[in-house]
Amino acid sequence: MKPKITLKDIANELSVSISTVSKALKNSDEISKDTKDKIKAFAKFYNYRPNNIALSLKNKRTKNIGVIIPDIVHHFFTTVFRGIEKYANEKGYNVIVCISDESIEKEVINMEMLANGSIDGFILSLSAETQLKNEYTHLKELLDQGIPIVLFDRVTSEIECDKVVLNDNEIAREAVEHFISTGSKNIALVTTEKYFNVSESRRYGYLDALKAHNIKIEENLILTLPHDMENDSLITEFFQHNKVDAVLCVNEIFAIQCMSIIQELGFNVPNDISIIGFTDGILSRFSVPRLTTVAQHGELMGERAAKLLIDRMEWVDEVEEPFKTEVINATLIKRGSSIN
């Protein structure tokens, strides 16, 4: 008995993309005849059958919602899940959550597993690897079958569906302008890789604020940290070699790391260097000094995402309602890590 194979297995064996395999099996004109014949022959030999994600979902209503989040390290994602579950339970739905662990493979596997358990729709925030590879075939296949998806926080313009996002650009600009209003001029940004849409939006907000106040943009004051590595040595070297009087960090963990290292280097927070982070989590509230932070209102984001999904699943009109993108307005909470 031949092992069950997936689109990804075929793609790996034939050294083509998952998207190419999917299109070839659908006889798309975008794929050459030779490539289609090769892919179809391989699929037939191994008795490939289409993933039953969409079929399982369409056949019956279960009142279950599948939620996929990238990790549980960041407090933000746990608050979003809390909001999803709260709203869904009120509407009579159950919620099943899985962790992609920043992996596109796990994101796909989680969807397959949830489909086998019969889920009516999905809410998810894209994994780092999904955004890095810009690969969304697994989501497009669901949507092509009429299965509703809501993306939150980490989203992409490649997928047409309902979305809930933060006003990342505007709130980052507000945070930098707070630094400027208290006299800071050498303002740094600690961010992560550019393929994260949220980090890029916050970077643009940072740049917009500097430009608006005629402050020269110094590329050496932008520190890009890998999301999946220990960063202490990179942060230490950055603050040892650059004159900084304020720093905006794109997440809470980076902000707490920076604060600890800055203090170890003998600087005073906030008198020497002010710090603002994102996510008003437990770390922010109990750090010394307490962290000035951007409250992302994760629970509200989760509630909005659940409402969008349930409204879409229960829509009975023949004319499909246009997809919506809802924007959550963040709040800057001023505490002891910045001069107020």
Side-chain angles (χ1 to χ4, degrees):
M1 182 176 177
K2 297 184 181 74
K4 181 180 177 181
I5 63 170
T6 65
L7 287 177
K8 185 177 181 181
D9 295 328
I10 300 173
N12 288 339
E13 288 293 329
L14 301 181
S15 299
V16 296
S17 70
I18 295 174
S19 177
T20 296
V21 175
S22 176
K23 289 176 180 177
L25 294 176
K26 293 176 182 176
N27 209 34
S28 170
D29 292 336
E30 296 178 43
I31 310 301
S32 70
K33 184 178 185 301
D34 287 347
T35 301
K36 283 193 284 191
D37 289 346
K38 182 169 64 173
I39 290 172
K40 287 179 180 179
F42 188 92
K44 183 176 180 180
F45 179 78
Y46 282 97
N47 298 320
Y48 170 76
R49 293 290 180 271
N51 190 301
N52 286 326
I53 291 177
L55 294 175
S56 296
L57 290 168
K58 284 193 75 177
N59 287 340
K60 53 187 176 180
R61 295 288 299 279
T62 65
K63 304 287 279 187
N64 292 333
I65 292 172
V67 176
I68 302 175
I69 58 177
D71 65 53
I72 54 174
V73 174
H74 293 281
H75 178 75
F76 167 70
F77 290 117
T78 62
T79 62
V80 174
F81 175 69
R82 189 181 302 126
I84 293 171
E85 187 173 51
K86 176 184 176 184
Y87 186 88
N89 289 168
E90 288 172 356
K91 296 296 180 180
Y93 285 81
N94 299 309
V95 178
I96 301 172
V97 64
C98 291
I99 315 298
S100 68
D101 200 25
E102 303 291 14
S103 160
I104 186 172
E105 183 176 7
K106 287 187 178 181
E107 194 170 274
V108 173
I109 289 171
N110 285 335
M111 284 190 149
E112 291 178 356
M113 180 187 70
L114 291 172
N116 289 335
S118 297
I119 305 298
D120 294 338
F122 289 93
I123 299 173
L124 75 152
S125 187
L126 299 169
S127 74
E129 191 178 14
T130 302
Q131 291 202 299
L132 171 63
K133 294 185 175 180
N134 205 34
E135 176 58 72
Y136 307 108
T137 302
H138 56 301
L139 303 179
K140 290 176 180 177
E141 288 180 348
L142 281 175
L143 292 169
D144 286 345
Q145 296 294 329
I147 308 307
I149 294 174
V150 174
L151 293 177
F152 72 89
D153 190 52
R154 297 188 194 170
V155 304
T156 175
S157 59
E158 296 290 320
I159 298 294
E160 293 186 9
C161 67
D162 295 311
K163 299 165 187 172
V164 188
V165 297
L166 196 73
N167 64 332
D168 286 298
N169 183 296
E170 293 83 359
I171 194 64
R173 177 169 176 160
E174 181 182 334
V176 174
E177 288 181 336
H178 173 61
F179 285 145
I180 295 169
S181 71
T182 57
S184 296
K185 296 194 182 329
N186 301 304
I187 303 169
L189 174 70
V190 177
T191 185
T192 191
E193 296 96 336
K194 289 186 176 182
Y195 54 80
F196 287 103
N197 66 290
V198 292
S199 297
E200 271 298 88
S201 292
R202 292 166 194 177
R203 186 173 73 90
Y204 283 126
Y206 162 84
L207 296 174
D208 288 345
L210 296 183
K211 291 174 185 175
H213 291 268
N214 298 313
I215 296 176
K216 184 181 177 182
I217 295 169
E218 304 280 359
E219 290 296 329
N220 61 295
L221 292 185
I222 300 177
L223 174 62
T224 301
L225 298 174
H227 74 278
D228 57 350
M229 290 174 55
E230 289 293 328
N231 298 313
D232 284 6
S233 60
L234 293 173
I235 296 171
T236 300
E237 185 178 344
F238 177 78
F239 285 106
Q240 283 177 329
H241 293 91
N242 292 287
K243 182 181 178 182
V244 174
D245 54 22
V247 56
L248 174 65
C249 300
V250 299
N251 61 50
E252 184 178 53
I253 292 175
F254 284 179
I256 297 299
Q257 280 182 299
C258 286
M259 184 187 296
S260 175
I261 289 169
I262 285 168
Q263 290 171 329
E264 287 176 4
L265 291 173
F267 296 105
N268 178 272
V269 178
N271 294 327
D272 296 324
I273 303 177
S274 293
I275 303 175
I276 296 178
F278 272 72
T279 302
D280 183 28
I282 294 173
L283 295 178
S284 300
R285 295 172 205 160
F286 291 97
S287 62
V288 180
R290 293 195 304 155
L291 186 68
T292 294
T293 189
V294 172
Q296 296 172 260
H297 308 302
E299 191 164 337
L300 176 61
M301 183 176 283
E303 290 177 11
R304 294 280 179 85
K307 184 179 188 307
L308 284 172
L309 181 66
I310 291 170
D311 287 350
R312 182 73 57 183
M313 292 190 300
E314 296 183 348
W315 187 259
V316 293
D317 200 319
E318 290 185 7
V319 179
E320 190 73 18
E321 186 178 22
F323 292 122
K324 300 176 183 176
T325 295
E326 294 203 8
V327 180
I328 305 296
N329 291 318
T331 306
L332 182 63
I333 300 177
K334 300 171 185 176
R335 297 196 180 108
S337 70
S338 64
I339 298 171
N340 299 314

